[in-house]
Each structure stands twice: as structure tokens, then as C-alpha cells.
Amino acid sequence: MPGDIAVYHMESEKLLGMIPVGIGPGYLTCFPEGKKLYVPNRGSATLSVIDCDSFIVKRTIPVGKNPQALVIDSAGAKGYVAGTEEQIISVIDLHKDEVINTIPLNLYPSGLALSRDGKKLYVSHQAGCSISIIDTEHHQAADTFHLKDYPKNSPLSSPDLALSPVGLALSPDGTLLYLILSPENRVSVVDLGLRGEVASIPVGRNPQRIALHPSRPLAYVTNHDSDSISIISTYEHQVLATIPSLSAPRELTLTPEGSQLWVTNGCQLTLIDTETKAIISTLYAPLSVQTRQGVAISESHRQLLLSEVLPCNTQRPYSFVTEKLYFKPPKPFDLTIHHQFPIPAAIAEGLIFEEAEVKHHSISILPIPLRPNYHHLTFSLRIPYKIIYRDEQNQLHELKDAIHHVLSAVETHLTPSRIKQNFNLRIFTQSEVIGKSVPTPNSLDLIIRTQLVAMQQIHPTE
């Protein structure tokens, strides 16, 4: 569905406006001078160019299908967009804002990192664990090396799974690459001179993105399924601390001086003090926003005089309105699940929970007698998850399944205007393993505890 860019003022934390863009926007990147913002739209296969002074989309550039990442050189001359589905890199002239070349790859590009001089572009790939080095002067792949090979029939060799390495960062001296390996819950440190891994850093479950501090030897990693951020020493290559209690963090960026960390999680933007590791504030999404998919910081509006008038046009033929539902949290529920692995001996490596889904035809809303605007809400839910495991040859595989449950009589506050015929309910849950056993060498029993943490109602409006 069409997306919007929410614009906040950094000091006041005030929402300045909403900028309509394409379908599925994410991976925002600012022009070095801070006057333009580039937004890849995954569902539209386009790149939106936004003027940071007027909050207007100045140009829309067609790029490869499913653009997954974007980097811009320090001089502001060129940008590079990874078109994952078409296995290409689109080269953008940032002065003319147009595609000037296309670099074909035989692998599915996902993460991008650019050398300081802009002469080398490092590309990680979704299928398997490999790095391509692009010569940016001649616009061609100069080299590709593999850190690990997965068997062709392994789930981890399939690009359809959208697996890491996606998160990718280059050390300031240009000698090391930091790759997030989500299925293995770790960060791989790659020496570009040796063309191999020199360190492995365990982090939380399902890590997503990594950001390097601009002046200190630190890196920050969002752990989506652990609801946390790992703080890594880039000297010692180990986790120094963990910032907990962040619901499903995904994207992150640091302010230019490195004093604050901005993290997208769910429908909110969380600001963290990097010195104290404390949450400074939480900026909640406007009504038309459903989820946070990217964050970037521009210097353009630091001195802006704020007013109550939004300086951008927020009109669409339609929009999707998101409303928070207030409810009395029900007790957590426990479920025992049994898994039979398809191989004689398997070693479970990790468990990754995905976003909960509501079976919309199962929703029931019943008023509570003598309590106006209070209702009992009952619905069936499904929480997809996957278990990562190793076989006897030490190869990684994954087993997919889902938790099915009915939440009964959740006490909610709903005014008559909010109870509509098409009640589109969205929920956020938090699950954890509280017990496990291995009945046989190729089976696993898990006791999962899940609690409901937030509910939203989403509906289109003219």
C-alpha cells in the first residue's frame, strides 16, 4: 500500500509533516548536504527524491524491482540502489537524479557499503553468504568471494526467504566489513585483505541492522525477536552491553555527533541516549502510519522556526488510518508445541517469531453490560515462527510452523464510532521459550509463553 514519510524536528521532537511516496518505502538516505532525501519504494520499484526544505517529492526515479538498500558517496555525486529481484545495482547521478548505468549481478544483492573514497562498493547477498566488490569507476563487478557455501537444496540458499546478510557496515579504515547473519543470530567480521571471517559476535535473536558510531569504536545492532539492541566493541569484537525493552526494533541511525540513537520499532520511533543507554523519548506514529520501515537524519531543519501549520500536502485519494485500542492486558498464555525434524539427528540453533496475524472472520465484539463503551473482544490469532537447526554435516536448515490460539473476552474500550462493519484488527505479541525437552534425537518439545502487548484498528478512509 502507498507509504508516507513522517518528518520530525530533532530538538523539539515535533511532527512537521507527512510526505506521500510510493509503495513500501524504506532504507531512507540523505544527500550529504542534507537538502535531499532519497527513499527506495520496494513495491513501486522506484526511488523518491524529496526536497528537505519544501517537503515535496521533486522526482521519482525508476530502479530495479524490490530495491532493498541505498548508499550515497560522500561527495554526493553518485548513489547505488540494490535491485534484489532483478539482481542488479542501479547507479544514480545525484545531480541529475537519473539512472546512468545498471550493474548486473548473478546473486541477489541486499546490503550495501561504500568505501570512503567512493571507488569500491561492497555488496552482500541474500542467497548464501558472499560479498561482491564493485568497481564504481567502471561500473562492473571486480570480484566476488564466498564466506560460506550452503547446499543448493538448503533453505538458506533460497533468495525467497529474504535472509541476511542485509545489515552491512564498513569500518572507518576500510579494512573490515560487519555482516549481520540473521539465521545464525550473530555478526560476522570479515577482513577484506584476507577475504575471510576473522571474528564472530553472538547477538540477540533475528538481528536486522547495524550502525557504527561516528567517533567511538562501537557498533549497534537491532535484535528484532529479542526486543533489544546489542552494543558491540569494534576493538574487542564482543558485546559490551544490551539495551532491553524495545518492542521489535528494526531500523536505526545515529545523530551526526553520535549522542543519540534513533530506532524504529513497530509504530513508533525511540530515541536513546548513547552515553547513558537510557530511552529519552518515544515518538508515536501519526494516524495514517502503520509501521516504521526506515529512518534518516537531515541537518536541513535544525534551525527551523516551528509553527502549527504543516508545510506539506498530505492529501491522498485515500489513506489507511491506524487507531490505538485501549484494553486491559489479558494473562499470558502457555502452549506446548512438538516438532519432529526430518533428519535422524538435528541440533536446534535458534527460534524466530514473526508478526502475529488475526483471522479477521473470527472477531467477535460483545458489549459489557452496565459499562458504556466497554466490550469483550474475542479473536483467533496465528503467530508464524521458524526453528533454525543443523544437520549431521553441520549445515543449517529451517523448520516453519505457527502458534494458533484464541484470545477470549479481552476487555477493550471502543466508542460507537470506532466499531465499524470491517473491523481490521492488528495485534502485537511477545513470545518466549520457558521450557524445552528433547524426547528423541530428532524431536523437540517447547513450552511457549505469549502475551498481548498492543492492539490497533486499521481502516481505509476517503
Side-chain angles (χ1 to χ4, degrees):
M1 57 186 65
D4 299 274
I5 302 302
V7 184
Y8 292 93
H9 188 262
M10 291 176 63
E11 275 76 26
S12 69
E13 301 173 5
K14 183 176 181 179
L15 178 69
L16 300 181
M18 300 287 292
I19 308 171
V21 287
I23 298 173
Y27 313 107
L28 287 64
T29 304
C30 275
F31 194 76
E33 296 175 357
K35 296 297 183 181
K36 288 192 291 186
L37 176 70
Y38 291 85
V39 184
N41 302 299
R42 286 167 292 174
S44 304
T46 58
L47 187 67
S48 296
V49 185
I50 296 173
D51 183 287
C52 291
D53 288 327
S54 64
F55 295 169
I56 293 174
V57 176
K58 291 290 189 180
R59 193 176 182 90
T60 301
I61 308 170
V63 293
K65 290 183 180 178
N66 194 17
Q68 286 283 349
L70 166 67
V71 291
I72 288 174
D73 68 22
S74 58
K78 291 181 186 177
Y80 304 89
V81 183
T84 303
E85 190 171 329
E86 295 182 46
Q87 304 182 60
I88 61 171
I89 301 292
S90 299
V91 184
I92 314 293
D93 183 318
L94 300 180
H95 297 298
K96 297 180 180 180
D97 286 331
E98 61 183 31
V99 176
I100 57 173
N101 210 335
T102 299
I103 305 170
L105 296 171
N106 293 324
L107 296 165
Y108 296 84
S110 55
L112 300 176
L114 194 63
S115 62
R116 281 197 170 184
D117 59 9
K119 294 182 179 180
K120 291 182 179 179
L121 176 67
Y122 300 96
V123 185
S124 60
H125 303 283
Q126 286 183 348
C129 189
S130 58
I131 301 293
S132 291
I133 303 175
I134 306 294
D135 180 342
T136 58
E137 185 177 353
H138 298 94
H139 294 163
Q140 63 183 13
D143 192 13
T144 297
F145 62 93
H146 296 266
L147 302 173
K148 173 187 289 188
D149 288 318
Y150 294 113
K152 290 184 178 181
N153 61 350
S154 168
L156 299 184
S157 66
S158 169
D160 299 330
L161 296 175
L163 295 170
S164 276
V166 175
L168 184 66
L170 181 66
S171 64
D173 62 4
T175 62
L176 299 176
L177 274 178
Y178 298 87
L179 288 81
I180 287 182
L181 300 177
S182 291
E184 301 178 19
N185 299 325
R186 68 185 181 96
V187 175
S188 175
V189 184
V190 179
D191 188 304
L192 292 171
L194 299 175
R195 293 163 54 99
E197 183 178 272
V198 292
S200 178
I201 309 170
V203 290
R205 297 193 306 273
N206 195 14
Q208 293 289 308
R209 298 289 182 267
I210 183 169
L212 301 184
H213 195 282
S215 59
R216 302 174 66 185
L218 298 174
Y220 299 84
V221 175
T222 52
N223 304 309
H224 186 270
D225 290 358
S226 293
D227 300 324
S228 66
I229 292 175
S230 296
I231 304 176
I232 293 172
S233 166
T234 55
Y235 277 165
E236 302 170 321
H237 292 156
Q238 65 181 19
V239 174
L240 298 178
T242 301
I243 303 173
S245 305
L246 294 168
S247 178
R250 188 179 298 275
E251 306 289 336
L252 78 166
T253 192
L254 287 144
T255 52
E257 73 286 353
S259 63
Q260 291 183 14
L261 183 67
W262 287 32
V263 184
T264 67
N265 53 312
C267 292
Q268 63 195 41
L269 183 64
T270 301
L271 280 59
I272 298 170
D273 187 303
T274 55
E275 191 66 37
T276 64
K277 307 177 187 62
I279 293 175
I280 302 169
S281 60
T282 299
L283 309 182
Y284 288 92
L287 289 179
S288 62
V289 176
Q290 295 187 58
T291 186
R292 305 282 192 178
Q293 291 293 342
V295 59
I297 292 176
S298 166
E299 294 288 300
S300 180
H301 285 83
R302 274 188 173 272
Q303 306 301 322
L304 182 68
L305 295 176
L306 301 179
S307 69
E308 294 300 323
V309 179
L310 301 182
C312 64
N313 179 13
T314 61
Q315 297 299 315
R316 281 190 180 278
Y318 62 90
S319 63
F320 288 85
V321 175
T322 304
E323 297 179 286
K324 183 178 180 180
L325 296 185
Y326 293 92
F327 65 99
K328 181 180 179 180
K331 292 182 179 179
F333 60 89
D334 296 350
L335 292 175
T336 300
I337 53 178
H338 175 79
H339 289 286
Q340 197 78 23
F341 295 104
I343 58 176
I347 301 174
E349 292 281 329
L351 176 63
I352 299 175
F353 292 99
E354 298 178 2
E355 188 171 314
E357 304 165 358
V358 174
K359 300 176 182 178
H360 293 285
H361 296 294
S362 68
I363 298 174
S364 171
I365 305 174
L366 296 175
I368 299 176
L370 304 180
R371 296 189 67 191
N373 296 332
Y374 281 86
H375 299 76
H376 280 144
L377 189 63
T378 298
F379 55 90
S380 298
L381 60 91
R382 175 179 180 269
I383 306 175
Y385 64 89
K386 55 188 176 183
I387 296 177
I388 308 297
Y389 66 95
R390 294 185 184 273
D391 60 18
E392 293 176 329
Q393 283 74 44
N394 205 34
Q395 299 295 332
L396 283 172
H397 304 270
E398 67 176 32
L399 183 66
K400 293 185 177 181
D401 208 332
I403 295 172
H404 297 269
H405 189 67
V406 176
L407 276 175
S408 178
V410 179
E411 189 176 309
T412 61
H413 182 271
L414 292 169
T415 58
S417 63
R418 300 180 72 182
I419 303 176
K420 302 184 181 297
Q421 184 174 2
N422 294 321
F423 191 86
N424 296 307
L425 182 65
R426 185 182 184 193
I427 63 170
F428 298 88
T429 59
Q430 194 168 33
S431 301
E432 60 177 335
V433 177
I434 61 171
K436 62 181 178 180
S437 62
V438 183
T440 65
N442 65 329
S443 68
L444 179 67
D445 288 341
L446 298 173
I447 303 176
I448 307 295
R449 175 164 294 171
T450 302
Q451 61 180 349
L452 179 66
V453 296
M455 292 197 300
Q456 295 174 339
Q457 181 187 3
I458 302 172
H459 57 85
T461 180
E462 298 296 331

